[in-house]
Amino acid sequence: MSQQPIASNQQTGGEPPPADESTLPTFWEVAVALPVPGTFTYRDPRPGGRIVSGTQVVVPFGGRTVTGFVLGPAVASGTRFKPRDIEAVVPGTPAFDEQMMGLARWAAEYYQAPLGELLRAGLPQGERAEAVRQVRLTAAGERAARDPGGGSPQIALDGVGASAPVWDPLLRLLVESGGEVPWRLIARRLAGRGGPTATAAAAAAHIGRLEAAGLVEVGDEVRDRRAPPTRRFVAAAASDVVSAAVLPARARARRAVLEKVRAAPADEGLAVDVLTASERAQLRALTNAGLVRVEQRPIPLSKAGADDQVGAPAARVGAKAGECPPTPTAGQAHAIREIIEALGKGYATFLLQGVTGSGKTEVYLRVIAEARAAGRGALVLVPEIALTPQLAGRFRARFGDDVAVLHSALPPRERLAAWRRLRLGEVGIALGARSAVFAPVRELGVLVVDEEHDPSFKQEEGVRYHGRDMAVMRAQRAGAVAVLGSATPSLESRRNAELGRFRHLLLPERATPRTLPPVEIVDLRRHPPGPDGLLSTPLAEAVAANLAAGQQTILFLNRRGFSTVVLCRACGLVVRCAHCAVSMTYHRGRDRLVCHYCGTQESVPALCPACRLPKLERLGMGTERVEALIRGQFPDARVARLDRDTAGASAAGAPERGGHLNEVLRAMNAGEIDILVGTQMVTKGHDFGGVTLVGVLQPDQAMHLPDFRASERVFQLLEQVAGRAGRGDRPGRVIVQTYNPEHPAIVAVRTHDYEGFVRAELEARAELGYPPFTRMVVLRLDGPDEARVRADARAAADAAVSVGGTRVRLRGPAEAPIPRVRGRSRFQVWLASVERAPLAAAARAGSAVKLGPDVRLVVDVDPQSTL
């Protein structure tokens, strides 16, 4: 819901007040932590007050109280509105230093994003002050919730799924929650009654009715960021007597947990997060019985996050600081020498292109060691830190506790502790995913982006920045060296190297004596798969031979689930998501139909919804089905699966998030798995020495996506998964099954011909006017009314063209390839130009049009996907 600020809109800061006016109030430019454009002028009511840039403040905004970031002094004169007062200055060290504030200003301008929202995204939970809109129960509301028959009014849930007035269950929810619940939680509960079609506006309207009836009140609560990280501990109560009435004999699980708690040191207790989920479920009953007590305790920064940041036991095996590094190859030595020579000489960016297994990580480690010896910090970005525990393990093995790991899978307290240790200088190396580009590394000397080509570096929600490009800009502003590493560099980075913007370094051979594995292409038109539609004869025979030899196999299919389509054989109906223009995927483990775009889950109908005949069949292939078929075809093989459905699951007895992922990685490295079935998760950063065969099952679908980057993505993915074979003592082999053996990506993968693929692809991109030869911005619009979204997209396109003129090429407006997601119609306006300035101006004009009710417009600069 947009709100008009009462504070004046101040696009640029002014000069500070004269020094001799120290007894007068001062004025400051503030970026509020909301998705609103511009910055705003606020008054500091303290006489002669001074606020450091980057400090968080609490300010009024419209009818709300919100948090924001001070950008610098502002001039109050000449504004249309009287600036409002800053309500509070959040104490402590500023959230960002001047260098990071400059980077944020650049990013907000380049990505046409709200500066306050970007700054907020750069802080971990707990470090940023939070303005939370709360819904509180009034005395009348409490009476209505506890005694619905006592004459209190009934509240109809209009617009959110109720067909008749009911006693409002949210009043009871408020009672159960202590009388106060965040607005966002209540809105989700209301929307959940009607599914994705229930709008946020309908939920807000219902809360408004409760407020008008005097049953609730709505207000803002600002939560300070300075609370130290804490951890929950449980300890046994003083009494050693357990009565049978309180803890009956049949409560064996509860007794076992109690014994575990009593076995812990009396003065320390037992950390709750080391208990399994089933054990934690017993704590409430034990607490209510007075047998244990649970309390939150602050954790010293020197300990918080140091023991369990990675959350991956496999990553800590052998992780001893000071291990003797291997002798570098000639190619590694040359790369190390070139990068080290650049250290201390100012900004430089290197594109380190090395075939899979060429030892790029060793180059990173050597360069970072040199930087640390010189007293400078390092930042390492990887596509998905949860998928690369081996990389974290190698860094810990070389640098010990000088490494802080930052990623979203960490508990908030651990991420906060790691962030603060970096800021204090207790550690000098940050290792993390995309958002770690904001990490407060002191005296930054080296910034590494591993697998720089990976699309995961592009943020697709909120502020849509590209982590790789932000990293290069941060290195430039810090006078640091940036190293972009990949076996298959993106065409943008490769073009920058050709133009001399990046210095190109090559690692053409593997660090081990083994060469790259040969790739065999199986034409499925000549060698069709067997009756189950899975393995061709050549691949089936290769898997069987590999099993007989006691060697490991990876089978790669980049689609999860059991069946990708549920179709009626009688009438041809495909079961689709009610809210998205996509088919539902059947997941056998859950026995549910799942939409991979909005998350809707449904039971599988017994009859066709259209013709009411029992003719529904589950077609198509996902990793879940591949796993089942492989277990049936090779019953003696030890088979495991690694995809999004399994990676987040906990292994039996493992309390940490992602326990199954860690167990699979450990078992693969230990040789306890014969065949690993997986999606692209098996391609990223894993070094399995026992894998000698990789089978690629169905790459064809990805080749024909309506995306100009489709060929590049397919080549990169296949080359990366092929590189998993033959990394140990035995040679590897790769078999790719396809109906399109003549496709350029397949032809190039066959001989690992990156150079040939790049030449052909760049030539095609230049001819068609696609990046990296042009810059692109896409305006993405969505809303519940298709006609309204179409009209707004047309208006945005017209406005963009009127400003960009002939220097900006327009494509659209057109429906998105997936025209409806979460009940909202989607349209796109594509803008392209060889010049940045007219393109940015056209995008700003297009995004400034007045939109219809509940229509959203997002500006996506340098888009990485057309979908």
Side-chain angles (χ1 to χ4, degrees), residues 763-838:
E763 183 178 338
R765 298 269 188 96
E767 182 179 346
L768 296 171
Y770 284 131
F773 299 97
T774 59
R775 298 174 179 269
M776 299 190 84
V777 176
V778 59
L779 308 179
R780 305 185 191 272
L781 296 92
D782 65 83
D785 185 338
E786 179 183 341
R788 179 73 258 180
V789 180
R790 186 192 301 273
D792 286 349
R794 180 72 267 170
D798 292 343
V801 168
S802 69
V803 171
T806 58
R807 292 186 294 175
V808 175
R809 187 172 73 251
L810 170 71
R811 293 183 180 177
E815 273 193 328
I818 302 175
R820 194 168 182 83
V821 172
R822 294 183 176 91
R824 300 176 69 87
S825 295
R826 306 168 71 233
F827 281 78
Q828 300 179 346
V829 178
W830 285 78
L831 307 172
S833 177
V834 295
E835 303 174 71
R836 178 187 166 191

Side-chain angles (χ1 to χ4, degrees), residues 492-677:
E492 287 83 357
S493 293
R494 181 54 185 268
R495 180 65 175 167
N496 280 329
E498 290 180 355
L499 295 174
R501 296 170 184 158
F502 297 168
R503 294 164 66 176
H504 198 187
L505 299 173
L506 285 172
L507 300 177
E509 298 176 348
R510 283 187 160 181
T512 63
R514 295 294 175 195
T515 60
L516 288 172
V519 178
E520 177 185 345
I521 308 300
V522 175
D523 186 346
L524 290 177
R525 296 169 299 184
R526 297 177 54 198
H527 302 279
D532 56 14
L534 181 60
L535 302 182
S536 63
T537 299
L539 182 53
E541 291 175 349
V543 172
N546 221 43
L547 279 172
Q551 298 171 17
Q552 292 177 302
T553 299
I554 288 178
L555 294 178
F556 169 69
L557 175 65
N558 207 25
R559 287 193 298 278
R560 60 191 176 97
F562 189 84
S563 299
T564 55
V565 174
V566 177
L567 176 140
C568 177
R569 290 286 193 187
C571 69
L573 173 84
V574 172
V575 179
R576 295 182 174 272
C577 176
H579 315 296
C580 307
V582 296
S583 61
M584 301 282 275
T585 299
Y586 175 63
H587 288 249
R588 192 169 71 170
R590 289 180 258 179
D591 193 27
R592 305 281 284 176
L593 294 173
V594 179
C595 175
H596 288 174
Y597 286 85
C598 73
T600 295
Q601 297 190 28
E602 299 174 359
S603 58
V604 184
L607 303 176
C608 172
C611 68
R612 309 305 297 171
L613 292 175
K615 297 290 186 179
L616 289 177
E617 292 202 23
R618 298 158 192 176
L619 308 175
M621 192 81 67
T623 48
E624 193 178 18
R625 187 172 198 156
V626 172
E627 179 189 19
L629 291 173
I630 289 297
R631 289 184 184 277
Q633 189 167 350
F634 304 101
D636 295 330
R638 297 167 295 178
V639 181
R641 174 165 55 97
L642 189 57
D643 56 24
R644 290 288 175 202
D645 296 324
T646 62
S650 292
E656 72 271 5
R657 180 179 172 181
H660 182 79
L661 167 65
N662 299 328
E663 175 58 24
V664 168
L665 298 180
R666 184 206 63 76
M668 278 295 290
N669 284 307
E672 297 171 4
I673 294 173
D674 298 316
I675 302 175
L676 178 63
V677 177

Side-chain angles (χ1 to χ4, degrees), residues 633-717:
Q633 189 167 350
F634 304 101
D636 295 330
R638 297 167 295 178
V639 181
R641 174 165 55 97
L642 189 57
D643 56 24
R644 290 288 175 202
D645 296 324
T646 62
S650 292
E656 72 271 5
R657 180 179 172 181
H660 182 79
L661 167 65
N662 299 328
E663 175 58 24
V664 168
L665 298 180
R666 184 206 63 76
M668 278 295 290
N669 284 307
E672 297 171 4
I673 294 173
D674 298 316
I675 302 175
L676 178 63
V677 177
T679 59
Q680 62 181 327
M681 295 185 71
V682 303
T683 74
K684 298 185 179 184
H686 304 305
D687 188 6
F688 302 130
V691 173
T692 55
L693 174 64
V694 167
V696 178
L697 300 182
Q698 295 178 4
D700 301 76
Q701 185 177 19
M703 299 176 192
H704 304 295
L705 290 174
D707 193 324
F708 68 87
R709 288 191 173 89
S711 289
E712 180 186 6
R713 295 276 191 257
V714 169
F715 174 78
Q716 289 168 338
L717 203 54

Side-chain angles (χ1 to χ4, degrees), residues 17-26 44-50:
D20 58 0
E21 297 183 4
S22 59
T23 60
L24 299 177
T26 52
D44 186 354
R46 304 171 302 169
R50 288 291 181 266

Side-chain angles (χ1 to χ4, degrees), residues 149-228:
S152 300
Q154 291 180 319
I155 306 296
L157 301 180
D158 297 336
V160 288
S163 58
V166 296
W167 293 114
D168 197 303
L170 293 176
L171 297 180
R172 295 195 183 108
L173 169 67
L174 285 163
V175 170
E176 294 166 359
S177 303
E180 187 172 306
V181 174
W183 171 288
R184 287 173 294 183
L185 176 61
I186 288 186
R188 283 201 301 270
R189 294 286 178 89
L190 281 170
R193 293 178 60 90
T197 56
T199 65
H206 176 61
I207 295 175
R209 288 192 295 274
L210 292 175
E211 188 176 20
L215 304 178
V216 302
E217 60 182 6
V218 179
D220 295 303
E221 175 183 305
V222 177
R223 298 174 180 174
D224 198 349
R225 65 185 171 113
R226 294 299 157 183

